[in-house]
Amino acid sequence: MGERAIRIGLIGFGTIGTGVIKLLQRQRASIRDTLGVGLELVRIADIDTRRDRGVKLARGVLVGDARVILDDPSIDIVIELMGGTGLARRFMLEAIAAGKDVVTANKALLAHHGDEVFRAVERAGVEIGFEASVGGGIPIIRTLKESLCGDRHQAISGIVNGTCNYILSRMSEEGGEFAAVLKRAQADGLAEADPSFDVDGIDAAHKLALLIQLAFRVRVPFTQIAVEGIRHVSQADIAFAREFGYAIKSMAVAKRCGDRIEASVRPTMVPRRHALASVNGALNAIAVRGEALGDTLYVGAGAGMMPTATAVVADLMDVARNRVHGSRGRVAPLGYPLRLQTRALTVPPDDRLGEYYLRFLLVDRPGGLGRIASILGVHDVSIAAVIQREREHGRAVPVVIRTHQTREQALRLAVRAIDRLAVVRGRSTVIRIEESIG
């Protein structure tokens, strides 16, 4: 290749794309000195070619049609930052088929179409970098693929959505119910105008689907990850959790259960003694438990312009380095050949075991708590502790129950029956308790 600069095309000129351009411009000399060759951003494609993003570009660099990048044989690497799973998938596959290396932050694309993309990369002998798809600036993908690849992992647990962590942290530290804190997060630019993707757990589930492939070398279909959002978490739950010695976090958890994998994203009570309980604000954190190494924890900025751009540029440099040294395609995208990956059996709801926090609103009538306890007993749900606040005549008061280990499906059936009782007001709250996190 000689001294010719490596030519790059960027598809998607949003927040992260702007950060990538800023970083490439700022670190131009350092990158050249590190690689021995320059990285030249020659084309940017975006449907909006008029908005000022605060970066200077040479005339003709910004275009409105991605075909200009895909059809240019002189472009070596394509960065896909447009998001979505439709056009982004098509553009990614076209770039790969044309022999171009690709870099992406698109976790949704890889969660739903990763098999197709990774298989195309292996077949074409090109490179793909996707560090920015999970954990922003935390190098968790490279860590699992390289540094920890000699271990057998038992569990991976993480706070992988900064919006959820910010909301739950603010609720815990400053008070306020979910809706009010969400509005503050939107005003601060830490939540989207439509926050559903984040607060309903979908974003975290996409990331967990990738982490499972890297940590366990198996594939769990996205549809088999149990997903629950944080909208129902209240100040009452946060206060009771604190009383029990826990913090509530939105946790993405995958663990080996014999020859099966249990995978879920949901609000979880984490022991305050665990380091994850003190990871607050928009930070992300991922804990890995290996047979040989034991527990390790990786913490950092999981989202935002510059943390994510840092991961994208690191992937660019890694891909460029392999180009310079003629070692493209040497390592499979996931660190192991896709043909060796198997579809994992997942633990069905009937077999999921765990401890749970339950909160009911109970009307002041004789025998109400006894009826709840009776229904739990019929469904083999064992009670570990009960908190019942002082009653005010005629008003509904919270009753909180902590269970022993119980089957999730049995618990759900019991709660459904309890919610039908005349003495119970509204829908009850169920939150998983994770005593041992890895």
Side-chain angles (χ1 to χ4, degrees), residues 177-193:
E177 295 293 354
F178 170 82
V181 177
L182 171 60
K183 285 184 179 179
R184 294 209 298 269
Q186 289 169 323
D188 292 341
L190 292 167
E192 300 289 343

Side-chain angles (χ1 to χ4, degrees), residues 11 70 78 90-102 126:
I11 303 175
L70 298 171
V78 173
R90 194 181 90 194
F91 290 163
M92 181 89 73
L93 292 173
E94 284 191 33
I96 293 166
K100 302 180 190 299
D101 299 315
V102 291
V126 300

Side-chain angles (χ1 to χ4, degrees), residues 125-327:
V126 300
E127 297 279 314
I128 182 171
F130 55 102
E131 185 67 65
S133 62
V134 181
I138 304 172
I140 188 62
I141 289 176
R142 190 167 282 107
T143 298
L144 288 169
K145 194 163 85 168
E146 299 176 8
S147 303
L148 302 183
C149 65
D151 206 351
R152 187 173 190 269
H153 304 304
Q154 295 299 315
I156 186 161
S157 311
I159 298 168
V160 295
N161 184 274
T163 299
C164 285
N165 202 41
Y166 177 87
I167 291 171
L168 292 173
S169 297
R170 296 285 77 77
M171 288 176 68
S172 179
E173 295 168 3
E174 301 169 6
E177 295 293 354
F178 170 82
V181 177
L182 171 60
K183 285 184 179 179
R184 294 209 298 269
Q186 289 169 323
D188 292 341
L190 292 167
E192 300 289 343
D194 179 1
S196 302
F197 208 63
D198 294 314
V199 302
D200 292 334
I202 300 167
D203 172 78
H206 286 151
K207 296 169 182 175
L208 184 61
L210 284 171
L211 291 174
I212 288 169
Q213 294 183 73
L214 291 155
F216 303 128
R217 299 168 194 162
V218 299
R219 180 172 64 87
V220 170
F222 178 77
T223 54
Q224 293 186 23
I225 298 174
V227 181
E228 183 181 324
I230 66 169
R231 295 178 190 268
H232 66 285
V233 177
S234 72
Q235 274 300 319
D237 301 317
I238 288 171
F240 282 118
R242 188 178 294 114
E243 192 167 337
F244 279 127
Y246 298 96
I248 299 178
K249 298 291 183 182
S250 179
M251 293 288 296
V253 178
K255 59 181 78 171
R256 292 187 191 272
C257 298
D259 61 349
R260 297 183 175 187
I261 301 293
E262 181 178 327
S264 65
V265 172
R266 55 182 153 194
T268 304
M269 290 194 178
V270 177
R272 287 197 168 272
R273 66 179 181 273
H274 196 285
L276 280 172
S278 61
V279 175
N280 293 320
L283 289 175
N284 280 197
I286 299 165
V288 182
R289 175 167 294 164
E291 282 185 357
L293 183 59
D295 293 340
T296 53
L297 181 66
Y298 309 87
V299 182
M305 177 188 288
M306 297 317 293
T308 308
T310 300
V312 172
V313 172
D315 274 342
L316 273 177
M317 294 179 68
D318 192 42
V319 169
R321 187 179 291 114
N322 288 337
R323 274 188 164 268
V324 169
H325 295 286
S327 56

Side-chain angles (χ1 to χ4, degrees), residues 64-102:
D65 186 359
R67 296 243 60 88
V68 175
I69 292 173
L70 298 171
D71 294 340
D72 186 344
S74 74
I75 290 179
D76 304 301
I77 305 173
V78 173
I79 310 171
E80 182 278 307
L81 296 177
M82 64 184 296
T85 59
L87 278 176
R89 169 178 166 269
R90 194 181 90 194
F91 290 163
M92 181 89 73
L93 292 173
E94 284 191 33
I96 293 166
K100 302 180 190 299
D101 299 315
V102 291

Side-chain angles (χ1 to χ4, degrees), residues 393-411:
H393 183 70
R395 295 189 60 184
V397 294
V399 173
V400 169
I401 294 173
R402 176 178 174 170
T403 76
H404 288 296
Q405 284 271 330
T406 188
R407 294 189 184 279
E408 184 176 319
Q409 183 70 3
L411 180 69

